[in-house]
Amino acid sequence: MIREIITYPNKLLRTKSKDVEVFNEELHTLLDDMYETMISAKGVGLAAIQVAVPLNILIINIPNEEDIQDKNELIEAINPKITHKDGVQVYQEGCLSVPGYYEDITRANHIIVEYFNRFGEKQVMETEGFLAVAWQHEMEHLEGHVFIENLSFTKRQKFEKEWKRKLKEKK
Ligand code: Y12
Ligand code: CO
């Protein structure tokens, strides 16, 4: 089932998500819904809070070298924790909760992350580049943050002005 993606400045996006304690059918349904929602919105990553569920869950499905978004490469991460970060990279990010806005964000280039899969089995992933960007972007959502909070003061002011204008136009 496709769920509604909440968008900035919805206050729910500021919620600090809680750990999942039970790996049951309800969790699997949520993960399946998140995947369907992300794919239908043409996204590559989604956190549960973006569908108004304040749990430490994220999914990532980045296109491979052939530019195919293969479901076999889908990452489903429950209660993830970044245990190591190093290096620096700048990547132009977008977010399904801030549709139509893209900006360069500086993040670590190389990370190690620990998480559980949908069956409660512990996983460790070491990654860099674009996938590391996606992990860090989605992990921020779990902390109640959105990528625009990383903008400089001037860029943030410009964003807020443009976003307000866009929301008024929509009404
Ligand atoms: C690198 C940078 C950021 C991430 C986080 C995940 N972000 C997304 O999946 C963003 C998707 C997105 C899709 C949009 O829709 C289309 O392009 C058709 C979009 O544009 C609009 O909604 C108008 C904006 C964002 C991972 C890796
Ligand atoms: Co996002």
Side-chain angles (χ1 to χ4, degrees), residues 13 45-47 50 93-98 137-138 141 145-147:
L13 289 169
L46 190 72
Q50 293 179 272
E93 298 189 16
C95 178
L96 291 172
S97 293
V98 194
H137 177 112
E138 299 311 331
H141 279 299
H145 298 298
V146 180
F147 82 109

Side-chain angles (χ1 to χ4, degrees), residues 78-156:
I78 325 292
N79 305 343
K81 282 192 176 54
I82 294 177
T83 57
H84 177 88
K85 279 186 188 191
D86 68 67
V88 176
Q89 63 175 325
V90 179
Y91 195 89
Q92 190 178 61
E93 298 189 16
C95 178
L96 291 172
S97 293
V98 194
Y101 183 77
Y102 309 88
E103 192 48 82
D104 282 354
I105 304 291
T106 304
R107 299 196 187 272
N109 180 50
H110 169 242
I111 61 166
I112 300 174
V113 59
E114 293 181 2
Y115 60 99
F116 295 90
N117 68 13
R118 62 162 65 202
F119 308 108
E121 296 161 341
K122 193 168 179 180
Q123 313 287 311
V124 181
M125 182 177 290
E126 180 168 4
T127 191
E128 59 183 8
F130 183 63
L131 183 53
V133 171
W135 268 107
Q136 291 169 85
H137 177 112
E138 299 311 331
M139 293 285 293
E140 267 185 4
H141 279 299
L142 306 185
E143 292 298 323
H145 298 298
V146 180
F147 82 109
I148 51 155
E149 292 171 49
N150 297 307
L151 297 174
S152 68
F153 181 75
T154 314
K155 278 189 177 165
R156 179 70 185 269

Side-chain angles (χ1 to χ4, degrees), residues 27-95:
L27 170 68
H28 294 183
T29 301
L30 172 60
L31 285 163
D32 294 342
D33 287 356
M34 285 174 64
Y35 176 74
E36 218 185 308
T37 303
M38 180 184 74
I39 293 299
S40 88
K42 304 210 179 326
V44 297
L46 190 72
I49 194 60
Q50 293 179 272
V51 290
V53 178
L55 289 172
N56 285 324
I57 300 171
L58 63 84
I59 61 168
I60 297 171
N61 194 197
I62 63 170
N64 59 24
E65 293 102 73
E66 285 122 43
D67 212 26
I68 293 163
Q69 206 172 6
D70 186 347
K71 195 178 179 184
N72 293 316
E73 288 156 44
L74 171 68
I75 297 164
E76 295 179 331
I78 325 292
N79 305 343
K81 282 192 176 54
I82 294 177
T83 57
H84 177 88
K85 279 186 188 191
D86 68 67
V88 176
Q89 63 175 325
V90 179
Y91 195 89
Q92 190 178 61
E93 298 189 16
C95 178

